[in-house]
Amino acid sequence: MQKKLMLFSLLVVLLVGVFCTPFLARSLSVSDFKIVGILLVFNAFYGVFDILKPVYIKRFSVYFNENKKIPFYYFKLNFLLAILFSLIVFVVCFLFYCNIFGVLGVSLISLSSFFSFLSIYFISVIESNNRVGTSFFVRSIFIVILYLLFFLANFFGGGVFYLYFYLSAFLFLFLFYCTLSIRDIDFGISHKSDKLDTKEVLHTLELNVFKVIIDFSDRLILVGFFNAKLYAAYLALYDLFSKSNIVAQYFSNYSYPKLLANNTLDTKHKFIKISLVIFILMVFVSLFVSFFSKQLILLYLGSQYISFFYIIPLLSLMAVFFCLAFFTQVLLRIEGEFKLLAYFYRVSAILGLTSLIALLFFEKFNYIFLSILIMKSPGLFPFFKILKNTLSSLKFNILIFFMIFYINLMVWLSFQSFLTCVFYSLGIFCMFLLLSIKQKTEIRCEI
């Protein structure tokens, strides 16, 4: 049943995300479409601050394995973090988007974020009990409601209606998760009898801070350098290609509690093989959409955005890179390697953001996508390192050669420049080299 619910949720989210955006792009003005795009960015932004979710699931799984209910006292920490992260959202909105939404809009978005963060405890209870499909089903219904409310807000004249309806969607999400999880919570236990692993919490917090930089710094910074039409197209296409990662995300979330319960070499190898299949399928899909990028952007956003077709191969390449992060999170977390996982995110975020700012300063706009690629690749190095220990030398070398060819082809389809291909390849190679050297250095220091 859970697999069927997960498959249904996957199809719903893909269909709604893929087919609603073209209608929004054609029926809304550029400014309204930009507002909806920013709200969808924040919807994704809330998902990044799931700091306690993997730690909760790891801890709650023990309770369910012992046929016990989840103590309510864990909710207190979740509540405090919800307040903290909502304040962060308020500051980000006020600094970057107050001129678009106003103080009322910023407050409504922050309140929406509060209910999103508050849901994490209840989501963790549901997923720890191997009801990942149920959790995703609720999320898919939420996505449907969210897009319907956008259309309804546009019918009422847009403006502040987008924000009020946006808040109502998150209220629905929070109440639904509460209702589904309430039977598995022991409200009588309100004081601490055990505690979470502090190191795992801190490393997960560090990971999520850098995940915010990875996911959103490009969209926050580029708003000041891209014109309104290019920025709207970038947001819409980014949202489309982030949807392509939903298969990797769903599979990883579904597998994580199961691997915690049955952490054997066979189950891990099975997970790695399926991950590799998903990765290769994504590569072929990205090649297909890149060869037909003009037709895709014409169909998806309309003729007014067709001049920006060149960003499609690069965004699809980013999606392929980032899908590996979902797999490596599962593989490293089940081994308790929270610190190592946070390290890969830290290096990717710092290198990508630093080079992005430098390239913008020197006005090297063709190369800023390399910086964004670096930011989106925290799972690239560890996943291929895992594959090196899993595949034969011949298969691994063939895969590496294929990846080099694939990356250069995607860059060529965007810029049609040999020097740009070389620059991108060298940038990714240097990051691989730096990660390898730094990791070996850290291991020696620990020894």
Side-chain angles (χ1 to χ4, degrees):
M1 183 62 179
Q2 292 299 312
K3 287 183 179 179
K4 290 179 180 177
L5 282 173
M6 193 172 72
L7 181 60
F8 174 80
S9 305
L10 174 66
L11 292 173
V12 168
V13 173
L14 285 175
L15 290 173
V16 171
V18 169
F19 290 106
C20 284
T21 302
F23 287 109
L24 288 169
R26 286 165 172 78
S27 60
L28 274 61
S29 65
V30 171
S31 59
D32 282 349
F33 186 53
K34 183 179 177 181
I35 288 173
V36 171
I38 293 170
L39 290 177
L40 290 172
V41 167
F42 275 100
N43 176 46
F45 180 72
Y46 307 151
V48 169
F49 277 108
D50 61 351
I51 165 184
L52 289 180
K53 186 181 170 184
V55 183
Y56 270 163
I57 291 175
K58 188 175 180 182
R59 180 64 195 145
F60 292 175
S61 296
V62 175
Y63 283 98
F64 282 117
N65 289 337
E66 296 174 354
N67 295 317
K68 296 179 181 178
K69 290 187 176 183
I70 307 302
F72 184 65
Y73 62 73
Y74 286 111
F75 178 74
K76 294 179 181 178
L77 178 58
N78 191 84
F79 180 80
L80 292 174
L81 286 173
I83 295 174
L84 173 63
F85 294 148
S86 300
L87 289 173
I88 292 172
V89 170
F90 182 86
V91 171
V92 171
C93 282
F94 190 82
L95 290 176
F96 292 97
Y97 299 114
C98 193
N99 61 325
I100 298 174
F101 296 116
V103 177
L104 174 62
V106 168
S107 301
L108 291 170
I109 292 172
S110 302
L111 195 56
S112 301
S113 73
F114 175 74
F115 286 108
S116 177
F117 299 143
L118 207 60
S119 303
I120 291 171
Y121 169 79
F122 302 101
I123 296 169
S124 302
V125 171
I126 295 168
E127 294 189 11
S128 300
N129 198 18
N130 282 319
R131 292 193 291 158
V132 179
T134 303
S135 173
F136 280 23
F137 174 75
V138 176
R139 184 73 187 180
S140 67
I141 298 301
F142 161 78
I143 294 295
V144 172
I145 290 173
L146 185 62
Y147 276 95
L148 287 175
L149 289 175
F150 283 148
F151 283 111
L152 187 61
N154 184 51
F155 176 78
F156 281 105
V160 74
F161 284 106
Y162 288 121
L163 301 163
Y164 281 121
F165 290 159
Y166 185 69
L167 174 59
S168 63
F170 280 96
L171 275 170
F172 157 81
L173 186 70
F174 170 71
L175 292 172
F176 215 135
Y177 278 130
C178 289
T179 304
L180 288 173
S181 59
I182 199 167
R183 69 179 186 183
D184 294 318
I185 299 172
D186 190 340
F187 291 94
I189 306 177
S190 57
H191 298 287
K192 234 176 193 180
S193 58
D194 59 359
K195 61 181 181 179
L196 298 172
D197 188 318
T198 305
K199 289 184 178 180
E200 289 184 355
V201 173
L202 291 175
H203 290 316
T204 308
L205 174 59
E206 180 189 4
L207 182 148
N208 280 278
V209 168
F210 287 111
K211 193 188 286 186
V212 169
I213 296 172
I214 289 168
D215 279 354
F216 300 101
S217 60
D218 57 327
R219 285 177 277 182
L220 290 172
I221 292 171
L222 295 178
V223 69
F225 291 88
F226 286 176
N227 63 53
K229 188 178 286 188
L230 174 56
Y231 189 68
Y234 184 82
L235 289 180
L237 291 170
Y238 191 106
D239 185 63
L240 172 66
F241 286 110
S242 67
K243 294 280 192 305
S244 66
N245 273 324
I246 203 166
V247 176
Q249 183 182 359
Y250 275 39
F251 172 64
S252 299
N253 285 335
Y254 179 78
S255 302
Y256 181 52
K258 292 186 176 297
L259 283 168
L260 283 172
N262 184 24
N263 185 12
T264 63
L265 196 61
D266 288 339
T267 54
K268 279 193 288 188
H269 280 176
K270 184 179 179 181
F271 175 82
I272 292 168
K273 286 178 183 178
I274 297 174
S275 301
L276 184 58
V277 170
I278 293 171
F279 168 69
I280 293 171
L281 286 174
M282 281 193 65
V283 167
F284 283 111
V285 171
S286 72
L287 286 170
F288 177 80
V289 299
S290 298
F291 277 111
F292 298 98
S293 55
K294 286 185 179 179
Q295 293 85 341
L296 176 64
I297 202 167
L298 182 63
L299 176 68
Y300 193 62
L301 297 179
S303 58
Q304 61 177 327
Y305 297 99
I306 197 168
S307 59
F308 308 124
F309 73 93
Y310 65 91
I311 65 177
I312 287 179
L314 295 169
L315 284 174
S316 65
L317 181 58
M318 291 175 206
V320 170
F321 274 24
F322 201 61
C323 86
L324 299 178
F326 295 106
F327 305 140
T328 53
Q329 282 183 65
V330 172
L331 291 167
L332 292 176
R333 277 173 175 157
I334 61 173
E335 298 299 332
E337 295 283 1
F338 286 80
K339 182 179 180 180
L340 183 60
L341 182 60
Y343 160 77
F344 289 122
Y345 275 81
R346 180 172 69 249
V347 174
S348 300
I350 292 173
L351 283 177
L353 183 60
T354 304
S355 58
L356 175 64
I357 294 170
L359 290 169
L360 286 172
F361 179 79
F362 290 108
E363 298 184 353
K364 300 294 184 182
F365 295 108
N366 276 6
Y367 300 131
I368 61 172
F369 288 98
L370 172 60
S371 302
I372 301 170
L373 273 176
I374 290 172
M375 280 194 286
K376 308 299 179 185
S377 58
L380 193 64
F381 174 80
F383 187 74
F384 274 85
K385 186 178 179 183
I386 291 167
L387 287 181
K388 189 176 182 181
N389 297 327
T390 307
L391 301 176
S392 66
S393 297
L394 178 62
K395 289 180 180 178
F396 181 75
N397 290 331
I398 291 172
L399 184 62
I400 291 295
F401 175 80
F402 173 74
M403 276 298 296
I404 294 170
F405 174 78
Y406 164 68
I407 292 168
N408 281 280
L409 177 60
M410 299 297 278
V411 177
W412 175 263
L413 289 171
S414 287
F415 299 112
Q416 297 185 358
S417 165
F418 175 75
L419 286 176
T420 306
C421 289
V422 172
F423 186 83
Y424 272 62
S425 297
L426 286 174
I428 295 167
F429 172 76
C430 287
M431 183 184 172
F432 257 81
L433 189 63
L434 183 62
L435 281 170
S436 179
I437 293 171
K438 275 185 166 289
Q439 190 188 357
K440 287 177 182 177
T441 305
E442 286 202 352
I443 290 172
R444 288 196 198 101
C445 290
E446 288 177 3
I447 293 171

